[in-house]
Amino acid sequence: ERVTNMSNNDIKWKQNFASRLRKMMIKKGMNQMELADASGISQSSIAQYLNTNRVPTALNLVYIADALECTRDELAYLLSYD
């Protein structure tokens, strides 16, 4: 049995991030492999973000945002600047 110290807020943030990432990928017409190629992050890491198994590091968040042509804040917190 795996023990975790994640709070409900952490779990909710991971779920919300996965949903935002998926929405941004759809908006850009990108699949996991295309995002992996564009961001330089492995496809397996992208899959883990989408499945709420992991969250990206701050640096990987920058790479993903650049690949999706959005801001880090827009990706991390779904703030829209359009």
Side-chain angles (χ1 to χ4, degrees):
E1 182 177 334
R2 187 172 164 201
V3 177
T4 180
N5 291 329
M6 289 187 60
S7 71
N8 285 338
N9 287 339
D10 292 335
I11 294 168
K12 190 72 163 168
W13 192 91
K14 283 173 75 171
Q15 292 169 338
N16 288 337
F17 175 78
S19 176
R20 288 189 297 272
L21 178 56
R22 186 169 282 107
K23 286 177 186 175
M24 296 300 291
M25 289 171 63
I26 291 168
K27 182 178 177 182
K28 294 300 291 181
M30 286 184 151
N31 63 31
Q32 290 181 29
M33 199 66 237
E34 291 166 333
L35 180 57
D37 289 343
S39 66
I41 298 168
S42 70
Q43 184 274 329
S44 62
S45 288
I46 301 295
Q48 289 180 339
Y49 304 152
L50 290 168
N51 292 323
T52 70
N53 294 328
R54 290 178 54 194
V55 293
T57 63
L59 185 57
N60 280 354
L61 186 61
V62 170
Y63 295 148
I64 293 169
D66 287 349
L68 293 172
E69 298 177 340
C70 66
T71 67
R72 289 173 292 169
D73 285 344
E74 188 175 10
L75 186 58
Y77 304 106
L78 198 58
L79 303 174
S80 179
Y81 297 106
D82 29 46

